[in-house]
Amino acid sequence: MKTIKVLFINFLCFILFNCSGNEKSKVVDIFPDGSPKEIEVYSGNPPKMELSKILFISSFGDTAITINVEKNDTIMPEIKKEIVKQKYDNGQSMIVEHWIILGLEENLAEIHYFDNMSDILKIDDKINGRIKKYAELHPELGNTPSPNNPLKEYLYGQWNVASKFSGKKYLSEFKGGVYTFTEINNLGKKLWEEMYSINYNWDFNIVLRMLNKGFPKSRIKVGRRVNYQLNIDTKDRFELIDAENQFIFTRIK
């Protein structure tokens, strides 16, 4: 339902963006789920405002009718959906849904990236020229309500890690309140391993405190703290960033 509402908002923005002139609009009617189905668009400023257009919108976001009162014309735009496979920026092949709105201007409005389980990964908003990443589409990840912590649930499991600066490879694992970080060589052999306790903070932030575990012991500085900011791209890819490092994490499935 959340995805449908996101699509509706972008769809409406596209329609209103293409209405020229000094115009104002108001929602006349809405569907039970809260999405609008009729919008009146007025031209001019008070007190000389006149009805310019009436927009009728499907609850499924696939059709709409625009009655141009001033020009005595009716437009019935159509949304064309295409499901294709496309390489994502991590090199994997993803299912992509292209939305093209026909009847107003035949411009590509949005590209939706989602996986084989139909979980949306990101939205390429062509109208506003910006990418809406996973963290923005799932803002609840940035909160830390008790007792369930959505950020902890997202990070749980094993990840491949690469340093964006040095190119070195690592393995990591999030297990609730404990985090393990290990450097490996080209043969997959562990060179060293560190373990930390984790505090999951609000707004995509975590604090790590080193535990007296791992090897070699010369690396272990018990109590050392590191604060990282998370940049979540998809449900299987994120970055940890601080003043000294930037690591790219890819989930091990």
Side-chain angles (χ1 to χ4, degrees):
M1 183 60 69
K2 181 181 292 185
T3 302
I4 293 176
K5 290 186 177 180
V6 169
L7 297 177
F8 254 110
I9 292 172
N10 285 281
F11 179 59
L12 293 177
C13 289
F14 181 87
I15 294 175
L16 295 177
F17 180 78
N18 283 277
C19 296
S20 60
N22 185 16
E23 297 175 329
K24 295 175 170 46
S25 63
K26 70 175 183 178
V27 176
V28 177
D29 201 0
I30 59 174
F31 289 97
D33 66 357
S35 56
K37 63 181 179 181
E38 183 178 344
I39 295 178
E40 291 182 351
V41 181
Y42 292 84
S43 60
N45 291 307
K48 296 182 178 181
M49 291 184 64
E50 296 182 354
L51 181 63
S52 174
K53 300 178 181 68
I54 303 175
L55 312 178
F56 297 92
I57 301 165
S58 163
S59 62
F60 298 100
D62 54 3
T63 57
I65 300 175
T66 300
I67 299 177
N68 193 323
V69 177
E70 294 176 321
K71 297 181 179 180
N72 193 25
D73 189 17
T74 299
I75 302 174
M76 299 183 65
E78 172 189 357
I79 295 181
K80 180 182 178 182
K81 300 180 184 179
E82 297 177 340
I83 306 295
V84 297
K85 278 207 167 183
Q86 181 173 316
K87 287 289 186 182
Y88 190 52
D89 54 13
N90 64 2
Q92 295 182 353
S93 183
M94 298 290 178
I95 298 174
V96 183
E97 183 179 54
H98 291 258
W99 278 44
I100 303 174
I101 299 180
L102 306 175
L104 296 173
E105 293 182 7
E106 295 187 9
N107 294 329
L108 181 63
E110 293 181 347
I111 300 177
H112 294 231
Y113 292 81
F114 51 104
D115 62 16
N116 291 322
M117 302 301 293
S118 297
D119 188 3
I120 193 162
L121 302 178
K122 76 172 185 177
I123 293 178
D124 186 353
D125 183 351
K126 295 297 186 179
I127 298 173
N128 298 303
R130 58 188 295 267
I131 300 292
K132 297 178 183 177
K133 294 188 176 181
Y134 195 76
E136 184 178 355
L137 300 176
H138 300 269
E140 70 279 359
L141 292 175
N143 300 324
T144 55
S146 182
N148 296 322
N149 187 313
L151 192 56
K152 181 188 297 185
E153 295 175 1
Y154 168 84
L155 293 173
Y156 189 90
Q158 296 180 323
W159 301 79
N160 286 317
V161 188
S163 170
K164 204 166 185 178
F165 297 151
S166 68
K168 288 185 177 181
K169 305 295 183 182
Y170 306 89
L171 292 175
S172 73
E173 184 173 9
F174 291 85
K175 295 179 66 176
V178 177
Y179 169 67
T180 303
F181 192 66
T182 306
E183 183 179 359
I184 57 174
N185 61 18
N186 292 333
L187 299 175
K189 181 181 178 180
K190 293 183 179 181
L191 301 179
W192 52 260
E193 184 172 83
E194 299 172 350
M195 296 185 70
Y196 297 82
S197 65
I198 314 175
N199 286 335
Y200 298 88
N201 297 330
W202 177 78
D203 202 21
F204 305 100
N205 180 273
I206 64 172
V207 177
L208 305 178
R209 183 175 62 83
M210 186 175 283
L211 301 174
N212 189 20
K213 296 182 180 181
F215 66 89
K217 290 300 181 182
S218 58
R219 292 193 60 89
I220 307 305
K221 305 292 189 292
V222 179
R224 183 172 73 91
R225 291 179 178 268
V226 186
N227 189 307
Y228 283 110
Q229 189 70 35
L230 277 76
N231 183 357
I232 299 178
D233 297 324
T234 73
K235 72 172 186 177
D236 295 318
R237 184 184 186 277
F238 71 92
E239 297 179 11
L240 281 184
I241 304 169
D242 70 355
E244 300 178 355
N245 295 297
Q246 186 168 354
F247 297 107
I248 300 172
F249 288 68
T250 306
R251 192 184 301 276
I252 299 175
K253 297 181 180 180

